[in-house]
Amino acid sequence: MPADAAATPPAPPAPGPGRTEPVTGWGRTAPTAARLVRPRTYDEAAAAVRACGARGGIARGLGRAYGDAAQNAGGTVLDMTGLDRVRAVDADGGTVLCDAGVSLHRLMEVLLPLGWFVPVTPGTRQVTVGGAVAADIHGKNHHVSGSFARHVLSLELLTADGEIRTAVPGTPLFDATAGGMGLTGVILTATVRLLPVETSWMSVDTERAGDLDDLLSRLTAGDRHHRYSVAWIDLLARGASTGRAVLTRGDHAPLEALERPNRPSTRARAGLLSSPRARTGLLSGRGALRRDASTAGPLEFRPRRLPAAPAHVPEGLLGRTAVSLFNELWYRRAPHSRTGELQRISTFFHPLDGVPHWNRIYGRSGFVQYQFVVGHGREEALRRIVRRISARRCSSFLAVLKRFGEGDPGWLSFPMPGWTLALDIPAGLPGLGTFLDTLDEEVAAAGGRVYLAKDARMRPELLAAMYPRLPEFRALRRELDPGGVFVSDLARRLGL
């Protein structure tokens, strides 16, 4: 049991009555009211779970799940951001032990100066470690590194009976929790294996793909040469240009890429740094560093920040005409081929984090983030879906295609070997629900699945076809939580 839990009385009072307020996902489409409680110790978390009441409770991190996974209408939501300590860093072995409420942003602040990076990051660093495990997040490196839970060595999990259990990979409790959307218990801590890096910069290659088949061919042929790979895809392009894209690949830049201005590097260095001074970002007298790195240590982490999106944005700002113009400009301004460009880690991985509250740009109606995966050999299904989205003229300017590698062990983990497409769509688009229902059916028929962490509207009858280990998950939940203590809007809607 963690030291904090042992040092306090076994049954403290609940951490205050909390406050009732609307809670919504990042897409801002379906708010429901819940009682918010913010525990600051493990015992306060246990007391909050005991006091959840008939409508149960669900843990919540920084609210970046797009749908209703961290909502609980009429019940309790545990805001876990009060448990935010980085407890131990093994700078030699490359592991970190931290509370579940620690954000990936905070981990980068702590770890990058020591020469380490998080093993997997999604398109935002504003997610907690607990949320990363519960959604079993993936990033641009799934074809190499798999999902986040594959790098977790152990978890401390508060279960419905008030016990704190240790879960390790390969056990039913761990495999149900990885991707289990918080429904097996409250994650309190995680021990995570890290990735060694020499700098806080990326060496980036960019190229255009003229259509979807060209893109799939380039991804298949070139992904093995890069740790990270992602394609922005123009879903408004039609005809011969359907599926045209800008493909971006990257690797962590080695120290030499900053030292030698005329020698851009595209190689990824997986080894440790060559000197302790380099590991702490204090290297000096080794030549001019390139671009912004010339005035900063090679491991300095300095994300740029732009003004926040306004609180009120007119409806229809991201209509078809505006998005079509944006897509055209974005595609045309991309280079036909460029190699070895240096980019900050924050620029390469998390460009939207530089705009606080960027989800407001969709207006009051919010937006739907739709993501699915279909397996290798099912490319024709992917082509049909892309053509249907293009013909429907869905105004998405944040559409990305990636190639997944080997599937992950979590029973409800989303990734499987194949192709994943994610797109944002304004929620007010007429007929959107019916249209997405038909896409769900096509995805399920092709043996694919929809990402639960982004879902807020899928029909429950398709779930079992998409997630074949669902019966095992439900059986373990009944065993762990016969009283239904842990529940969410997502769980009620889909019968999880």
Side-chain angles (χ1 to χ4, degrees):
M1 181 178 293
D4 278 11
T8 53
R19 63 190 187 280
T20 298
E21 62 180 65
V23 180
T24 185
W26 191 245
R28 306 172 72 205
T29 56
T32 55
R35 183 175 67 97
L36 265 66
V37 178
R38 191 170 188 256
R40 293 185 177 275
T41 67
Y42 301 158
D43 285 304
E44 285 189 359
V49 168
R50 287 194 294 270
C52 279
R55 294 288 288 181
I58 193 70
R60 180 183 177 91
L62 288 167
R64 290 304 179 103
Y66 286 84
D68 54 3
Q71 299 174 213
N72 183 22
T76 299
V77 170
L78 279 71
D79 176 355
M80 297 300 292
T81 58
L83 287 165
D84 60 353
R85 287 159 290 186
V86 178
R87 295 181 166 271
V89 178
D90 181 351
D92 294 321
T95 62
V96 61
L97 168 63
C98 62
D99 287 344
V102 173
S103 69
L104 297 192
H105 174 87
R106 178 58 182 153
L107 284 185
M108 292 175 197
E109 287 182 324
V110 171
L111 298 172
L112 270 169
L114 301 177
W116 297 98
F117 190 61
V118 294
V120 172
T121 177
T124 175
R125 60 185 178 274
Q126 303 299 335
V127 297
T128 61
V129 169
V133 174
D136 200 10
I137 61 171
H138 57 273
K140 301 174 182 178
N141 59 339
H142 189 275
H143 62 290
V144 172
S145 302
S147 63
F148 191 88
R150 196 183 293 185
H151 305 271
V152 175
L153 303 177
S154 66
L155 298 170
E156 296 291 338
L157 187 71
L158 173 64
T159 50
D161 57 8
E163 296 294 321
I164 297 177
R165 307 187 187 202
T166 299
V168 296
T171 63
L173 183 58
F174 185 95
D175 292 348
T177 300
M181 308 311 297
L183 297 172
T184 60
V186 178
I187 300 169
L188 297 176
T189 71
T191 301
V192 183
R193 183 174 54 245
L194 305 171
L195 177 71
V197 296
E198 296 184 11
T199 74
S200 58
W201 294 77
M202 303 297 295
S203 178
V204 181
D205 298 349
T206 305
E207 58 187 298
R208 289 190 206 171
D211 58 30
L212 182 60
D213 285 341
D214 184 23
L215 174 60
L216 299 183
S217 177
R218 291 171 186 264
L219 286 167
T220 300
D223 271 6
R224 66 183 181 273
H225 301 301
H226 298 269
R227 179 175 292 275
Y228 302 98
S229 178
V230 66
W232 169 87
I233 184 169
D234 183 359
L235 292 176
L236 286 175
R238 293 188 288 183
S241 298
T242 299
R244 68 179 181 176
V246 178
L247 174 57
T248 306
R249 298 188 180 102
D251 296 293
H252 293 280
L255 194 60
E256 67 181 38
L258 308 187
E259 295 172 331
R260 303 180 186 181
N262 295 319
R263 185 183 172 188
S265 173
T266 59
R267 291 182 295 163
R269 293 295 182 87
L272 298 177
L273 300 182
S274 58
S275 75
R277 293 166 70 193
R279 286 175 62 85
T280 56
L282 299 176
L283 188 66
S284 61
R286 296 275 307 274
L289 301 178
R290 295 174 64 194
R291 301 186 184 177
D292 292 346
S294 61
T295 58
L299 286 163
E300 188 168 4
F301 181 53
R302 296 191 304 175
R304 291 173 175 169
R305 189 177 177 91
L306 298 173
H312 302 289
V313 176
E315 295 294 322
L317 178 65
L318 294 181
R320 190 177 302 158
T321 300
V323 173
S324 180
L325 177 60
F326 171 87
N327 287 3
E328 182 69 26
L329 293 173
W330 190 262
Y331 182 78
R332 295 297 177 189
R333 72 181 291 273
H336 286 282
S337 180
R338 179 175 61 201
T339 61
E341 179 192 14
L342 282 183
Q343 293 184 8
R344 294 173 182 267
I345 272 180
S346 55
T347 301
F348 180 77
F349 288 108
H350 315 118
L352 285 174
D353 280 352
V355 184
H357 306 294
W358 64 263
N359 58 338
R360 295 173 179 170
I361 65 176
Y362 293 87
R364 292 179 178 272
S365 298
F367 70 103
V368 173
Q369 176 84 187
Y370 185 70
Q371 184 169 3
F372 68 90
V373 58
V374 293
H376 294 302
R378 298 288 187 166
E379 285 80 8
E380 188 52 43
L382 176 64
R383 293 184 186 98
R384 284 196 304 270
I385 292 172
V386 168
R387 287 195 296 265
R388 292 183 62 183
I389 294 171
S390 177
R392 183 67 172 73
R393 308 297 284 160
C394 293
S395 52
S396 175
F397 78 100
L398 291 175
V400 296
L401 182 76
K402 291 178 287 194
R403 191 171 66 88
F404 280 160
E406 181 182 349
D408 299 294
W411 293 349
L412 296 187
S413 291
F414 169 67
M416 57 183 285
W419 307 97
T420 181
L421 176 64
L423 61 147
D424 65 304
I425 311 171
L429 188 69
L432 179 60
T434 300
F435 176 66
L436 293 181
D437 285 345
T438 64
L439 295 189
D440 289 345
E441 293 168 358
E442 185 146 9
V443 168
R449 58 184 63 144
V450 169
Y451 194 13
L452 297 181
K454 296 185 177 181
D455 178 58
R457 27 86 22 217
M458 187 172 70
R459 301 199 311 267
E461 59 267 25
L462 294 175
L463 190 65
M466 294 181 176
Y467 290 89
R469 303 198 72 173
L470 179 63
E472 296 170 77
F473 179 80
R474 285 171 168 162
L476 185 67
R477 276 205 70 206
R478 287 193 295 269
E479 178 184 338
L480 284 175
D481 187 7
V485 172
F486 297 114
V487 67
S488 64
D489 290 354
L490 173 79
R492 289 192 185 94
R493 178 170 54 82
L494 294 179
L496 291 173

